[in-house]
Amino acid sequence: MNLNLYDANQEYETPVDLRGIPHPIVGYLGTVNSTRLNGDLLLALAQERPQYSLVFTGPEDKGFRQHALHQLPNVYFRGKKTVPELPAYLRAYDVCINPQMVNPITDGNYPIKIDEYLAMGKSTVATSTHTMRDIFAAHTHLATNRQEWLQVIDTALGEAGNRELEQEHIAFAHTHSWGHSVGKTYGIIENHLKGRAL
């Protein structure tokens, strides 16, 4: 995965359409898809934490364009952006989320966005899927129901601005970069060839 775009050490100007949105911002970046994201959960979170702004950056499908979330004053849909714009949106979020439904599509899916969130140093809350538990459990907050989601979002927001934790997130994300993966692959091949030469 190419994480070069997501450079947490770079300065980013807050996008115009995020200025004026009250903090804390709990943000999602990616396609807002009703077959993958748990709209009922999101509605409950927005209603039970009216002091938090929920921001979605990415194109919506028909299901979300008609969702009751659009009626809430603390929910903001910002639509599709160009790839170079994305890091600035992540920078503006206080916490990042991936509120997936658990189904055959999502349970074993590798969520690239989690690496993007972590590469920007963000504390992240996600649904506890098989992949999230196996790969990301030590570096994210996982939840299985509405009450857990509320608790871990509160916890994650308490971590915002923790520079030591941000650096841990960044370092972990970069273990999944293309460069790291290629280097690891070459190392395995080299060790295999050395073994054959013995």
Side-chain angles (χ1 to χ4, degrees):
M1 174 186 319
N2 186 359
L3 292 176
N4 292 335
L5 177 67
Y6 299 94
D7 182 357
N9 296 313
Q10 184 176 325
E11 293 295 325
Y12 298 93
E13 187 174 350
T14 301
V16 173
D17 60 354
L18 293 188
R19 296 173 193 172
I21 294 179
H23 286 265
I25 293 176
V26 176
Y28 172 85
L29 190 147
T31 300
V32 187
N33 187 314
S34 56
T35 64
R36 290 177 177 266
L37 299 187
N38 191 332
D40 292 339
L41 169 66
L42 289 165
L43 184 64
L45 297 179
Q47 290 173 330
E48 296 190 43
R49 291 292 187 273
Q51 70 273 32
Y52 298 165
S53 297
L54 267 64
V55 175
F56 298 86
T57 303
E60 297 173 76
D61 69 1
K62 183 178 180 181
F64 265 97
R65 287 195 300 271
Q66 299 174 344
H67 201 280
L69 282 162
H70 281 273
Q71 309 306 316
L72 298 181
N74 62 325
V75 179
Y76 305 83
F77 289 87
R78 290 301 176 245
K80 184 177 181 180
K81 306 298 175 185
T82 64
V83 171
E85 292 178 289
L86 301 181
Y89 282 84
L90 288 183
R91 170 64 84 198
Y93 294 169
D94 296 297
V95 162
C96 293
I97 59 172
N98 194 28
Q100 294 189 311
M101 293 186 287
V102 179
N103 58 40
I105 296 174
T106 63
D107 197 35
N109 181 53
Y110 187 95
I112 293 173
K113 73 174 76 281
I114 301 298
D115 281 318
E116 295 167 348
Y117 292 168
L118 294 174
M120 291 297 291
K122 297 298 177 177
S123 286
T124 297
V125 179
T127 299
S128 181
T129 63
H130 177 81
T131 303
M132 289 301 303
R133 291 190 299 273
D134 282 357
I135 299 174
F136 295 100
H139 302 276
T140 59
H141 299 280
L142 303 184
T144 60
N145 57 48
R146 179 189 59 80
Q147 192 56 44
E148 287 181 4
W149 265 91
L150 291 167
Q151 291 171 353
V152 294
I153 284 178
D154 294 344
T155 298
L157 282 168
E159 298 170 349
N162 182 325
R163 293 296 298 165
E164 183 178 347
L165 194 56
E166 287 176 3
Q167 292 304 312
E168 289 177 14
H169 294 331
I170 293 165
F172 176 73
H174 281 277
T175 67
H176 297 159
S177 68
W178 282 119
H180 184 273
S181 298
V182 169
K184 191 172 182 179
T185 301
Y186 275 123
I188 292 169
I189 293 170
E190 185 176 339
N191 287 336
H192 176 71
L193 292 176
K194 285 180 180 175
R196 288 180 61 182
L198 293 177

